[in-house]
Amino acid sequence: MPKQIIHPDDATRQAAKYAQLIQNGVNLRAIVAQMLRDIDAMRQSQNLNGDAINNHQIVLAYVSKLNSLTRLTTDREMAALEAIDHLAEGEDVESEVIPL
């Protein structure tokens, strides 16, 4: 399996700090917005893209938090994928809401 060396430049250090801070967050929109800012900054500063970004430890930390907030399981994921098919066709769907 290929590996990458991640150099802690300013953008990466700042992204790591935000990734640490969001671990206590509950505002999904704010977390995703910060994740996008950090990905853009790291892509620019280190010329990363594709698999290098998808497998970056900072990105994985954000995805872990998103998974936690959404209580994502395989069953919930499959139900969501089925639901978006119905929504795309203009059909109503019922969605389970699990409180934090």
Side-chain angles (χ1 to χ4, degrees), residues 19-65:
Q20 288 174 324
L21 290 172
I22 63 96
Q23 296 308 310
N24 293 322
V26 295
N27 182 328
L28 185 67
R29 192 227 170 270
I31 291 169
V32 171
Q34 186 60 51
M35 179 181 177
L36 292 174
R37 284 191 294 271
D38 288 341
I39 288 172
D40 288 345
M42 290 185 303
R43 287 182 70 199
Q44 275 191 315
S45 73
Q46 296 197 15
N47 198 29
L48 299 175
N49 57 38
D51 290 340
I53 286 290
N54 293 344
N55 293 281
H56 198 286
Q57 282 78 6
I58 291 170
V59 172
L60 296 177
Y62 275 102
V63 171
S64 173
K65 182 59 181 182

Side-chain angles (χ1 to χ4, degrees), residues 10-24:
D10 290 342
T12 303
R13 281 194 308 275
Q14 188 61 51
K17 289 176 185 176
Y18 283 127
Q20 288 174 324
L21 290 172
I22 63 96
Q23 296 308 310
N24 293 322

